Structures are given as C-alpha cells and as structure tokens.
C-alpha cells in the first residue's frame, strides 16, 4: 500500500497534478489567466455603466467623444447587417436624454452618407449634449418627424428613446411611439437596448422585441435576462478604459477554449483524470449514466460509477467503458469506497441520489473524503439547512455547487428573494456563505466564487430545459476539475461547453427535440472547433468586440 501511494504521488507530480493531504486545499495546476490581448466583456448594471463613462472622462475621453463614437459604431454595424434596408430609408426615434443624442449622431452619419433618414422626436426636456447633437444634425439637413404625424415608407427603425438607466414603465407618449414602431413591422435596431426593457432587472414593460441591440463596451444585465426582447446583441468598442476587475465577465468561446488543458502525446488514462460519480438510485439510472458519459466525452481518463446493485447491473450492459462499484447510497462508507474516493481527482455526487433519510449525512461523509467535488441535484436538496457543515468542509477542499433556481431556494433561502432579477448578487452571496464555487443555472447562468469576478454564461437554448442536462453539465465540470482546473473556471468553461454543444445539436435537429445524448454526441465537434479557436484566435473586426446571437427557439 505504501509503495502504491508513493507511485501515485510520483505520477501526480510528473503530470503536474497536486498531491493531496487531508486538511489542505489542493492547489489547482491549470491556472487560467486570460491574455491581455483577449477582450474581456463585462456584464454591467446601469450604475456600473455610468461609472465606466465617468472613468472614461477621468481618462480624458469626454462624454461627447463617447457619444460620437457610439453613433458611428451603430451605423457601422447596421451597414454590415442591413445594406438593402438602409437604401429604403431609416427612421430614428430619438428621446431627450443622452441615448437620444446617440440617435442624432446615427441620423447625421446616415444623412452624410446619402441614406434617407428622418428623426422622430417627442416634446419634453432635453439633455445639453442631446440638444447639441440635434442642432448639429439639423444644421446639416437631417429631417424631423412628429411622433403622431405621417411617416414615409422605410426599411429600418433605430430605437434611441431611452438609455441604460431608464427604470419602470415609460410615459404614455413614449409608449405610443413604441407601439407605432412595432406596428410598422420592419426590423428595429436598439441603441443600448429596446425601450421599455429595464436593463438592470430584465423586466419588459412594453411589447417590443428588437431585431438587434447594439451596446457599448459590455453587455447589460437586462440583455441576458430578457434574451428575446433584446434580440441579437452586438457589443462595440467606443473607447472605454479597461473594465473594473470586480465586475462580472461574459464567458466567451475563446476564454473557454483557452481554459481547457491540452492533451499530450505521452498521456495515459491516469494522466487525464479520475472521476467518480455517486448516485443512480432505483429508477434513476439515467442520471449517473449521463454524468459518466459526459465526463468521458469531456476528456476524463477513468470514470467510476458508484451505485446500488440494480443500477450497476444495468450500466454493465449499457456502458461497458464505465467502471462500476456497488455500494448503497447510505452510511457506513466501506473501506473500499473510501479508497476509491481517495484515488479520484474529482467526485460528482447527486445525480439520481434520492432524498431518503440519512442521504445528507452520506453526502457530507463523501465530501469529507473528496479533494474536488461537484455537488448536484439531490445532493443539494438533502443538504438543506446544513450549509454550515458544507462551509466547514470547504475550508480544506474545493467544491462546485450546481443548483437550478429551485435547489438554490432550498439550500440558500436567505439569498433567494432577488434570484430572478439579480442572479449575480444571489450567487455571490451563496458562494460566500458556502465558501464554494456556485454555478447558478438559468438564463443566464452565473458562476461565482468569493473574491473573484463572477462569470456569466449566455450560451445554450431552450432544448437544455430537459431532464438530464444538469447531469451532463456535472460530468463536463468534473472532467475539468480532474485535470486540475480552477473550480470557478471549470464551472464557467464547462457551462459554456454545455451551451455551445447544445447549440450545435439544435442546429442539427431542433431545440424542441433536443435530448442530453444529442448534446454529448455534439461535444467532439465542439472540441474541434475550440482547438481551432485556441490555435488561431478569431479576428475581431473593429468596432465590434462581441456578437451574441439569439438562441435557437425551434
């Protein structure tokens, strides 16, 4: 036994995996730091957006310069996306604030390019900068329209009525103008976001759905909370300084591809990580089967499933490449199971575990013997009221918790009231309470780890709203943990991989008919795509920083 332990320790040192002693937190070996050349896309609240504009001013970039650059960037994006519709003419609906000022710049640039353009305005107070931009545009011949007067036939509408900071239901004149815009049934391009969409809480007060939202420097929270209303999203650079390091970051394909540890020619199965999945109670074999298969499909070298005899008998026939271990999902833990967990690099506990009496004690006992663990599904539910026990264990181990909103409310009731409108603060508070990485599943998915900028994942489509998707995610994250990836990066990159694989699978068939096994089948194509991204990063075409297409809904 001592010789085997020494051999394992030497092997781990040779491939760069951490040796583990009880009472210490294993240090991740695949430390991910995005290169300075990689654009980071912050996910901003309205307050953070204003703070960023103020920071630009302190750096010598005036608000007028930002506005001019923003308007020109909007035109550059529209020219690429809607060249034919621009020839048919454009109406710019401009409000009285600085968002309306952006709209007046758009109108002026279009007019100077010879494109038919009119600005629809509303009576009311105007900001000084908006008034300045309006005066410059009209002096050059830009035509205006009244909101309730006759309009020409056009091919495109630009919504520049209300900006990022707008809250609550718009006033009746604004609502009436939006209704008229919608009735025209031509594409609507929103500057920042559609009028009537709260870009902090994601609440839609008006029935407007934009074809495209063009936003500046980073996405706004409301864009991701209300994907259908915001439409396709394009982030453009208008000259902001580097974002604050504590702001949430949007996980991109390039970041996720860069975070996955490479394989090496001399790798053997032990080098690629050992994953142990515990669960699969009677009638729930599929949960552990999906988790185990996704761990294999994500690069794990060895995958064990620990389950009751009935489940093991089914898996031996259905999944001959998965190793099995028969054990009741209850205490006491046998010496053989303790040894298996000790030899593992990552544990998944919860898929199909069941909620029988004593399940919580069993989960905690397994976690006490684990170095890295993904805690999912029933394992989260049976820990209700026991986050203090979880926090105590997390002081010397690394855990990734993967709750959906219902499981989150059960485990973290005090953090749940603002779960729908502010998943970022909810996940961050839960991470602090449990001293663990929290992967809060939803639209968007948020990954939080105390002391780190949270990650936001927008990849995926409604096809993932099926039983088994969470089990699939757990397997992907566990495979990365087993290779020594930092827990919050494993969680973020794993969620991005799940979403992107689901997008590939939905394009092959449909979101409506998507099943977890379809997503697993799409993973190899995703890894090939990400290998190309990692080798030859995609070229960014200024001023565009990032494009986020609507998920497939059919």
């Amino acid at each position: 036994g001592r010789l085997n332990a020494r051999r394992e320790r030497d092997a781990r040192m040779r491939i760069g995996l951490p040796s583990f002693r009880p009472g210490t937190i294993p240090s991740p070996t695949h430390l991910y730091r995005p290169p300075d050349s990689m654009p980071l896309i912050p996910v901003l609240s309205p307050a953070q957006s204003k703070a960023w504009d103020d920071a630009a001013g302190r750096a010598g970039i005036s608000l007028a310069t930002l506005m001019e650059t923003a308007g020109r960037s909007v035109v550059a994006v529209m020219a690429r996306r809607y060249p034919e519709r621009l020839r048919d003419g454009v109406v710019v609906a401009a409000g009285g604030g600085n968002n309306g000022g952006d709209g007046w710049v758009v109108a002026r640039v279009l007019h100077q390019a010879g494109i038919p353009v009119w600005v629809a305005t509303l009576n009311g107070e105007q900001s000084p900068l908006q008034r300045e931009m309006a005066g410059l545009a009209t002096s050059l011949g830009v035509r205006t329209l009244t909101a309730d007067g006759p309009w020409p036939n056009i091919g495109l509408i630009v919504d520049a009525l209300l900006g990022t900071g707008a809250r609550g239901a718009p006033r009746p004149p604004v609502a009436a103008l939006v209704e008229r815009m919608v009735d025209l049934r031509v594409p609507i391009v929103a500057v920042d976001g559609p009028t009537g969409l709260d870009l902090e809480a994601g609440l839609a007060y008006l029935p407007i759905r934009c074809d495209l939202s063009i936003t500046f420097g980073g996405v706004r929270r409301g864009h991701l909370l209300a994907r259908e209303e915001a439409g396709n999203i394009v982030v453009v650079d208008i000259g902001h300084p580097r974002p604050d390091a504590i702001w949430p970051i949007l996980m991109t394909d390039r970041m996720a591809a860069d975070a996955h540890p490479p394989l090496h020619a001399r790798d053997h199965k032990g080098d690629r990580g050992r994953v142990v999945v515990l669960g699969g109670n009677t009638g729930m074999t599929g949960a552990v089967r999906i988790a185990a298969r996704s761990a294999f499909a994500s690069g794990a070298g060895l995958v064990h499933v620990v389950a009751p005899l009935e489940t093991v008998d089914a898996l031996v026939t259905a999944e001959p490449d998965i190793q099995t271990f028969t054990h009741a999902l209850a205490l006491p833990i046998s010496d053989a199971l303790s040894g298996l967990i000790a030899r593992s690099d990552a544990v998944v506990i919860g898929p199909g575990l069941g909620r029988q009496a004593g399940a919580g004690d069993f989960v905690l006992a397994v976690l006490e013997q684990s170095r890295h663990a993904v805690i999912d599904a029933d394992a989260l539910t049976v820990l209700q009221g026991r986050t203090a026990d979880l926090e105590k264990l997390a002081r010397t181990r690394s855990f990734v918790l993967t709750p959906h909103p219902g499981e989150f409310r059960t485990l973290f009731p005090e953090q749940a009231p603002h779960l729908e409108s502010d998943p970022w603060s909810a996940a961050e508070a839960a991470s602090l309470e449990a001293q663990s990485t929290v992967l809060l599943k939803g639209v968007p998915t948020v990954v939080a780890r105390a002391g780190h900028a949270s990650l936001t994942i927008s990849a995926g489509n409604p096809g993932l709203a099926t039983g088994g998707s969470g089990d699939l995610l757990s397997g992907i994250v566990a495979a990365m943990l087993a290779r020594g990836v930092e827990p919050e990066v494993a969680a973020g990159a794993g969620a991005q991989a799940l979403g992107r694989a689901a997008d590939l699978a939905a394009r092959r068939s449909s979101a409506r008919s998507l099943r977890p096994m379809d997503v697993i089948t799409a993973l190899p194509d995703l890894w090939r795509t990400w290998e190309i991204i990692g080798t030859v990063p995609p070229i960014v075409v200024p001023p565009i920083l990032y494009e986020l297409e609507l998920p497939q809904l059919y």
Side-chain angles (χ1 to χ4, degrees):
R2 187 175 300 171
L3 178 60
N4 288 337
R6 185 183 303 122
R7 285 174 176 167
E8 181 178 353
R9 183 193 64 221
D10 292 342
R12 296 181 68 80
M13 292 177 65
R14 184 176 66 253
I15 64 172
L17 291 176
S19 58
F20 175 74
R21 303 189 310 275
T24 65
I25 298 178
S27 299
T29 55
H30 187 70
L31 299 172
Y32 172 71
R33 296 290 180 269
D36 291 338
S37 61
M38 183 183 297
L40 298 181
I41 309 300
V43 180
L44 302 166
S45 68
Q48 290 165 339
S49 182
K50 183 180 184 306
W52 209 12
D53 286 346
D54 293 343
R58 291 191 297 272
I61 305 167
S62 70
L63 190 57
T65 299
L66 291 176
M67 185 176 290
E68 182 72 24
T69 308
R72 291 183 176 277
S73 297
V74 169
V75 173
V77 174
M78 291 195 307
R80 290 191 181 104
R81 292 216 172 201
Y82 308 103
E84 297 299 325
R85 288 190 171 274
L86 288 180
R87 293 193 185 97
D88 295 333
V90 179
V91 164
V92 178
N98 287 343
N99 192 252
D102 296 337
W104 279 104
V105 175
V106 170
R108 171 163 48 87
V109 175
L110 290 174
H111 176 73
Q112 293 292 83
I115 294 169
V117 60
W118 298 262
V119 177
T121 61
L122 293 167
N123 294 326
E125 186 178 353
Q126 297 174 315
S127 72
L129 200 50
Q130 190 267 16
R131 190 161 47 245
E132 179 183 333
M133 295 298 175
L136 179 58
T138 54
S139 72
L140 292 172
V142 173
R143 294 166 287 183
T144 60
L145 301 169
T146 57
D148 56 355
W151 284 14
N153 291 325
I154 54 170
L156 197 65
I157 292 175
V158 175
D159 175 6
L161 287 170
L162 298 177
T164 299
R167 304 297 299 274
R171 293 178 294 108
V174 173
L177 179 51
V178 167
E179 184 177 352
R180 183 169 189 180
M181 291 159 53
V182 172
D183 285 345
L184 289 178
R185 300 186 181 277
V186 298
I188 298 175
V189 176
V191 178
D192 261 343
T195 296
L197 176 62
D198 185 323
L199 288 178
E200 179 162 22
L203 300 174
Y205 293 96
L206 294 176
I208 183 173
R209 292 189 177 184
C210 287
D211 186 70
L212 177 66
S213 289
I214 303 174
T215 189
F216 310 119
V219 294
R220 275 52 179 174
R221 294 182 175 196
H223 292 144
L224 304 181
L225 292 166
R227 288 291 291 110
E228 291 183 59
E229 287 77 8
N232 301 300
I233 298 164
V234 172
V235 182
V236 294
D237 175 28
I238 61 171
H240 285 103
R242 194 168 181 83
D244 195 312
I246 66 171
W247 291 345
I249 299 169
L250 186 69
M251 175 62 75
T252 66
D253 283 350
R254 185 179 171 190
M255 290 171 64
D258 198 48
H260 274 74
L263 300 179
H264 302 288
R266 296 182 62 185
D267 282 348
H268 58 73
K269 59 189 177 184
D271 297 341
R272 291 176 52 179
R274 301 173 176 85
V275 174
V276 173
V277 183
L278 296 98
N281 222 326
T282 302
M284 293 181 280
T285 303
V288 288
R289 182 182 179 187
I290 291 170
R293 284 195 68 173
S294 69
F296 258 136
S298 302
L302 288 165
V303 181
H304 271 85
V305 169
V306 178
L309 179 60
E310 181 181 346
T311 298
V312 167
D313 285 344
L315 285 176
V316 166
T317 302
E319 302 288 345
D321 46 355
I322 295 173
Q323 300 186 53
T324 57
F325 186 91
T326 302
H327 196 287
L329 301 175
L331 296 176
I333 292 178
S334 68
D335 290 342
L337 177 54
S338 293
L340 178 62
I341 295 171
R343 292 190 300 275
S344 71
D345 299 300
V347 166
V348 178
I349 186 163
L353 180 74
R355 304 176 187 179
Q356 60 276 6
D361 293 328
F362 175 71
V363 170
L364 290 171
V366 169
L367 295 178
E368 188 174 8
Q369 299 184 36
S370 306
R371 50 173 72 93
H372 303 291
V374 179
I375 308 170
D376 185 30
D378 290 335
L380 295 166
T381 302
V382 300
L383 290 179
Q384 181 178 14
R386 307 187 72 171
T387 53
D389 296 328
L390 189 60
E391 183 272 337
K392 184 177 180 181
L393 290 174
R395 296 174 193 171
T396 54
R397 296 157 181 83
S398 64
F399 299 147
V400 176
L401 284 59
T402 62
H404 59 55
E407 293 160 346
F408 187 94
R409 291 186 183 95
T410 298
L411 194 55
F412 302 106
E414 294 182 3
Q415 318 302 341
H418 303 293
L419 179 61
E420 301 298 335
S421 61
D422 190 0
W424 293 271
S425 64
E428 288 163 5
S431 174
L432 188 62
E433 179 179 338
Q435 286 299 298
S436 302
T437 297
V438 173
L439 190 164
L440 175 54
K441 293 181 281 196
V443 181
T445 290
V446 176
V447 174
R449 181 183 176 191
H452 295 69
S454 61
L455 301 172
T456 306
I457 296 88
S458 62
N461 60 73
L464 287 173
T466 56
S469 294
D471 308 317
L472 203 164
L473 174 62
S474 292
I476 299 172
V477 174
M480 294 190 69
L481 284 177
R483 295 291 306 280
V485 179
E486 296 167 283
E488 76 277 11
V489 177
Q496 183 77 5
L498 173 71
R500 281 289 177 251
D503 290 338
L504 286 173
R507 285 196 288 271
R508 292 173 180 170
S509 54
S510 71
R512 193 182 303 277
S513 62
L514 200 64
R515 298 174 58 204
M517 291 302 184
D518 299 327
V519 181
I520 291 175
T521 302
L523 281 172
D525 287 337
L526 178 71
W527 305 139
R528 294 188 192 99
T529 301
W530 282 5
E531 182 183 9
I532 295 171
I533 291 175
T535 305
V536 184
I539 297 174
V540 176
V541 181
I544 295 173
L545 290 175
Y546 192 73
E547 299 185 56
L548 182 60
E549 300 295 325
L550 263 175
Q552 185 166 328
L553 302 178
Y554 301 100

